[in-house]
Each structure stands twice: as C-alpha cells, then as structure tokens.
Amino acid sequence: MEKLIYLYGLVPTEEAKEMPFPSLEGMDQNNPIYALYFDDITAFVCELPSDDYSEEMLKEKIEHDMKWLQDKAMHHHETLLFLQSHYTLLPMKFCTVYKSKESCRESIVNNKEKNLSSLQLLKRSEEWNIKVYAHTNSLKNYLLTHNETIQEKKEEITTLPPGRQFFERKKIERLIEEETEKEQLSLCDHLHSEISPYAAYHKIKNNWSQKITGESYSMCWNSIYLLSKNNVESFLKAISDKQTFYNKMGLNIEVTGPWPAYHIDTLRSEKDAG
C-alpha cells in the first residue's frame, strides 16, 4: 500500500538545489523528511503509514489526544522554523496530508502560479506578530485621576445624600471597568494605526485566553503583519518608541518574529477582497 505524504512547505527549487537538505526525522519519527521537485517549486515532505494517519485517525487524535496534538504541532512548527532559516518558505497548515505523491503533485501544479507568486512575495517579506497584555490595575489607577468621565461621576456623587452615594459608588465601579476596557482598545487601535502603514498586509486576530497563553495578565490585542524586509527596522523602532508610554498605561507590547508566513493566504485574500 502506498504511503501517505505529509507536506510541510514549499520552497523555490533553485534554493533547494543550492543548499542540500540535512537528514531530519519526519512526523512519525520513522521516515525522514525529503524533497520532491516539481519544476520551479520544491516540496518538503515525509511519508506516513496510512493506518496511523488516515483522515479518520487524524481527526480522532486531534480531538481526543492533547499530548499527541501538542507534540506533533510542535514538530511541524519547529520543522518550518528550520526550513525558514535556510530557504524562502511557503508553509503549509498543520496536518496537510495527501494520499499519494501524485495527489500532492497535482495540488502543487494546479496552484503553481499562486504558489510562485507567494514565494516571490516571501523572498522580500517577513511575518511578525504583536500581542498586547493588560496590567489592568495599573491602567485603572491612571484613569482614576485622568479620565474625565470618571472624574465627573466622582464629583457628582459627592453632591448626593449619603444613602444615594452608596449605590452610585457601585455604579462607578462598573463605569471604571467600562472606561478601562474602552481605553485599552483605544490605545491598541492607536498603536495599530501607527504601525500598520509599514506592512503590505495586516490582520487583527482573536485574543487568546490566559489558559492558552499561560500569562498572568490578559491579552487585549493580537495582530499579524507581513512586512517588506526593508521596513522591519522602522516597524520595530516605531513600536520601541511607544513601549515606555504604554507600560506607564499598564500595557505591555510583545513583538515577535519573523515567523513562517502561516497567514499569507488569508492576508492576501482579505486585501484583494477589500
């Protein structure tokens, strides 16, 4: 029975032939990663036993075996990081599996122009990520003395009878929460508007829960940027210039990259649609 083909990513063939690929373990640790050449595009793949990596088996593992999922997802990511460090890489999603070499070839050849266009863009571009974490108490303390809406409400309460003041103070606690959330979003929107012009493509993503991040503070912003390599230094400086002020406001900006361009198809399609 022909083995399944696990596809990690695509690189320009001219680069793949210039730098031979070292021996690395594949997804199942029994079959090595190797190159398949399709004219101008080279695919880095490994073979997998169909009994263990069928569509049904993968679905079962992904949904019910967290240890397996974490290990395999980390293997996929680390392999892509290695490929990216040596070649211009168009990464594939985790668990991109084909029934045969021929079906893998057909998919790559049928999308040849799109793949070549993406590889050309990635030769001169990098994907970066920004996450902002909120130290909420710090921002609340700042707003207590600087937010006009809160100040007006506090002054209004002092003119009320003592009985009314008790209930109004409960309302002001909710007001502070609301104003803090609004200020966080406003600051993040401002940051994004300042740095997004450096990017060819950008996207605001969903925030991650603290259970996922493992951080003691909540994430209030998550965005990705596809940058020309010529703009990376200016992009990073623009963020660095804002760090001190944002820290004072209780927001920590975390910038990481360059990453494998996981989001290039989404970024390009949204830009074209827009």
Side-chain angles (χ1 to χ4, degrees), residues 14 27 30 41 54 93-94 135 141 151 213 238 242:
E14 60 180 1
M27 180 65 68
N30 292 318
I41 298 174
S54 65
K93 292 180 180 178
F94 174 59
H135 302 212
N141 290 335
Q151 290 300 311
T213 66
K242 295 184 176 297

Side-chain angles (χ1 to χ4, degrees), residues 230-245:
N230 293 332
N231 285 344
V232 170
E233 185 176 347
S234 299
F235 174 80
L236 294 177
K237 185 178 186 306
I239 297 168
S240 177
D241 289 345
K242 295 184 176 297
Q243 285 279 16
T244 300
F245 172 72

Side-chain angles (χ1 to χ4, degrees), residues 129 131-133 205-215 217-224 254 259 263:
N129 173 244
K131 294 180 175 68
V132 180
Y133 294 91
K205 300 178 64 184
N206 292 330
N207 295 326
W208 296 357
S209 69
Q210 287 176 267
K211 183 177 179 180
I212 294 175
T213 66
E215 298 285 342
Y217 299 102
S218 60
M219 185 187 297
C220 60
W221 189 265
N222 185 14
S223 52
I224 51 174
E254 178 186 272
W259 295 107
H263 303 90

Side-chain angles (χ1 to χ4, degrees), residues 19-182:
M19 182 174 294
F21 188 70
S23 177
L24 291 179
E25 288 184 345
M27 180 65 68
D28 71 341
Q29 299 179 321
N30 292 318
N31 295 284
I33 299 171
Y34 63 94
L36 287 177
Y37 300 100
F38 304 112
D39 296 327
D40 297 334
I41 298 174
T42 293
F44 281 101
V45 304
C46 72
E47 296 177 354
L48 294 174
S50 56
D51 290 344
D52 297 331
Y53 289 86
S54 65
E55 185 176 349
E56 295 78 14
M57 287 296 294
L58 286 175
K59 186 174 185 295
E60 176 70 18
K61 288 287 190 181
I62 290 172
E63 291 180 355
H64 302 292
D65 191 338
M66 184 57 65
K67 178 66 166 58
W68 181 94
L69 178 59
Q70 290 174 340
D71 289 346
K72 299 306 182 184
M74 182 58 68
H75 163 80
H76 180 83
H77 179 63
E78 289 179 344
T79 300
L80 292 182
L81 288 175
F82 179 87
L83 290 170
Q84 184 192 32
S85 69
H86 291 80
Y87 312 99
T88 300
L89 172 69
L90 177 59
M92 295 295 111
K93 292 180 180 178
F94 174 59
C95 279
T96 299
V97 180
Y98 294 92
K99 292 182 178 179
S100 64
K101 290 181 183 179
E102 179 57 27
S103 62
C104 180
R105 185 196 72 81
E106 287 180 4
S107 176
I108 293 170
V109 170
N110 289 342
N111 293 282
K112 180 178 179 180
E113 294 307 315
K114 177 184 175 183
N115 291 332
L116 285 174
S117 174
S118 294
L119 286 168
Q120 280 299 118
L121 175 60
L122 292 173
K123 277 189 176 182
R124 58 182 187 275
S125 305
E126 296 178 350
E127 183 173 303
W128 288 74
N129 173 244
I130 287 180
K131 294 180 175 68
V132 180
Y133 294 91
H135 302 212
T136 306
N137 288 337
S138 298
L139 183 54
K140 282 181 181 178
N141 290 335
Y142 178 85
L143 294 179
L144 282 171
T145 55
H146 293 83
N147 182 277
E148 289 186 7
T149 302
I150 294 174
Q151 290 300 311
E152 289 172 2
K153 188 64 177 177
K154 286 169 66 177
E155 290 174 8
E156 177 188 327
I157 289 174
T158 61
T159 66
L160 298 174
R164 285 282 306 282
Q165 288 187 21
F166 173 80
F167 293 104
E168 292 301 319
R169 287 196 183 98
K170 291 294 182 183
K171 291 182 181 180
I172 202 171
E173 290 175 8
R174 292 196 295 273
L175 176 63
I176 292 170
E177 294 289 342
E178 292 169 0
E179 290 298 309
T180 299
E181 189 172 329
K182 281 169 50 178

